[in-house]
Amino acid sequence: MLPLKHQSDPRLDLSFERVVAVRQELVWKAWTSPEHLKPWFTPVPWTTVDCEIDLRPGGVFRTVMRSPQGQEFTNIGCYLEIVKHEKLVWTNALRPGYRPAPPAAGDAAACDTFLFTAILLLERHQKGTKYTALVVHKDEAGRKQHEEMGFQEGWGKALDQLVAYAKAL
Amino acid sequence: MLPLKHQSDPRLDLSFERVVAVRQELVWKAWTSPEHLKPWFTPVPWTTVDCEIDLRPGGVFRTVMRSPQGQEFTNIGCYLEIVKHEKLVWTNALRPGYRPAPPAAGDAAACDTFLFTAILLLERHQKGTKYTALVVHKDEAGRKQHEEMGFQEGWGKALDQLVAYAKAL
């Protein structure tokens, strides 16, 4: 059973790619344990104040982000694929146990008002790790909304924080 | 990484369980190849006129059912977990490649107006195979709608057809 080759559709998807000078194993660790995820996951001045990870297909990936004003936003996702050190897939279209997610609360400020699946790929690289994220949406509006929320900048800043955190480990 | 233990919530989920006098490997075959799925999948007088299976996480599970009057209904799902001979999980909340499914067309007669994930478990049994299906919905309305569409009767009739088909193989 060969793994699926992910085909990106630029109308519907967003992607982020960078080579970082951090070993693949450390990037993996930063993504897969609450202790090592909270310090870098949300671009400052926002913070990640809680995180729950059940690292298996169907398991929960929950984070709580706090704004500088103290408002909290919870994101609940479900892991789909886990290939240690190489591939992590999760979606907010399903809740843990693969249950289809209920409709969003209708609060435009909430982080769960649109659905996506994120596919994170890590590859060994001579300079460290090639880090690729592909985020797929149900429609063009979802892609645009995510783009306007600052997808590129957000993933970039978070990765800068991950690199700084991993180097200090 | 232990597999997830699926917890059923009777408010939101439907389940179907039966022991059948068919070997586990044959039940698996009947579920995982278009050739062996089409003959039994839809209770007569409906028929399954097309089927596409890409048996890997993220792969497509598409079926086309035809009513006695000749109307066709397409169901598109995405496989989530595949444990040969033992466990098959798919959802219509995601399209192939894990893309969140677009909103339903609004046609109440269409088969894709509600979202669910199906978890099929096969276990060796002294009489053949213990066959368990757990179908999880996003809310109580989804569970009720599926129930009223004849979930128990539909899965039962389809399984009768599967048994008859497998015995003639």
Side-chain angles (χ1 to χ4, degrees):
Chain A
M1 186 167 75
L2 282 171
L4 195 76
K5 176 101 184 76
H6 294 281
Q7 301 282 1
S8 174
D9 178 339
R11 276 188 321 114
L12 305 177
D13 305 334
L14 293 169
S15 62
F16 176 90
E17 195 182 304
R18 200 193 288 176
V19 172
V20 290
V22 176
R23 281 188 303 121
Q24 208 175 339
E25 292 75 12
L26 272 185
V27 178
W28 182 260
K29 195 173 169 180
W31 266 99
T32 56
S33 80
E35 175 196 353
H36 297 296
L37 182 139
K38 284 192 278 182
W40 66 267
F41 191 64
T42 312
V44 290
W46 287 60
T47 51
T48 303
V49 292
D50 198 10
C51 174
E52 188 183 354
I53 287 176
D54 181 7
L55 200 63
R56 49 188 168 181
V60 66
F61 178 35
R62 184 178 62 83
T63 53
V64 180
M65 304 195 293
R66 184 182 288 160
S67 77
Q69 292 76 32
Q71 260 191 301
E72 293 191 354
F73 300 88
T74 299
N75 292 289
I76 301 178
C78 174
Y79 287 112
L80 300 174
E81 262 192 82
I82 293 144
V83 183
K84 197 173 178 182
H85 299 165
E86 293 178 13
K87 186 179 185 184
L88 195 60
V89 182
W90 70 99
T91 187
N92 67 359
L94 299 175
R95 294 295 173 105
Y98 303 124
R99 183 179 304 286
D107 174 4
C111 294
D112 65 347
T113 48
F114 67 100
L115 301 177
F116 65 84
T117 296
I119 297 149
L120 178 70
L121 300 168
L122 307 178
E123 290 166 74
R124 200 165 301 282
H125 186 280
Q126 53 182 8
K127 291 182 182 164
T129 303
K130 186 177 163 199
Y131 182 102
T132 309
L134 175 64
V135 181
V136 307
H137 304 86
K138 66 179 194 300
D139 53 23
E140 220 170 323
R143 191 262 302 160
K144 278 189 185 156
Q145 188 186 342
H146 210 167
E147 206 161 34
E148 284 159 14
M149 280 168 66
F151 170 83
Q152 288 295 339
E153 197 191 352
W155 278 72
K157 277 192 183 175
L159 183 55
D160 289 342
Q161 294 178 177
L162 185 161
V163 169
Y165 175 73
K167 284 187 174 168
L169 273 182
Chain B
M1 185 166 77
L2 283 171
L4 194 77
K5 176 101 184 77
H6 293 282
Q7 302 283 0
S8 174
D9 178 339
R11 276 189 320 116
L12 305 177
D13 305 334
L14 293 169
S15 63
F16 176 90
E17 195 182 305
R18 198 193 290 176
V19 172
V20 290
V22 176
R23 281 188 301 120
Q24 208 175 340
E25 293 74 13
L26 273 184
V27 178
W28 182 260
K29 195 173 169 180
W31 265 99
T32 56
S33 81
E35 175 196 355
H36 297 296
L37 182 140
K38 284 192 279 184
W40 66 268
F41 191 64
T42 313
V44 290
W46 286 60
T47 51
T48 304
V49 291
D50 198 10
C51 174
E52 188 184 355
I53 288 176
D54 181 7
L55 199 63
R56 49 188 166 180
V60 66
F61 178 36
R62 184 178 62 85
T63 54
V64 181
M65 304 194 293
R66 185 182 287 159
S67 77
Q69 292 76 33
Q71 261 192 299
E72 293 189 354
F73 300 88
T74 299
N75 292 289
I76 301 178
C78 175
Y79 288 113
L80 299 174
E81 262 193 83
I82 293 143
V83 183
K84 195 171 179 182
H85 298 164
E86 292 178 13
K87 185 179 184 183
L88 194 60
V89 182
W90 72 97
T91 188
N92 67 359
L94 299 175
R95 293 295 173 106
Y98 303 124
R99 183 178 303 287
D107 175 4
C111 294
D112 65 348
T113 48
F114 66 100
L115 301 178
F116 65 85
T117 297
I119 297 148
L120 179 70
L121 299 168
L122 307 178
E123 289 166 77
R124 199 166 302 283
H125 186 280
Q126 55 183 8
K127 291 183 181 162
T129 302
K130 186 177 163 198
Y131 182 102
T132 309
L134 175 64
V135 181
V136 307
H137 304 85
K138 67 178 192 300
D139 53 24
E140 220 170 323
R143 190 263 301 160
K144 278 189 185 157
Q145 188 184 342
H146 210 167
E147 206 161 35
E148 284 159 14
M149 280 168 67
F151 171 84
Q152 289 295 339
E153 196 190 352
W155 278 72
K157 276 192 185 174
L159 183 56
D160 289 343
Q161 293 177 178
L162 185 160
V163 170
Y165 175 74
K167 285 187 174 167
L169 273 182

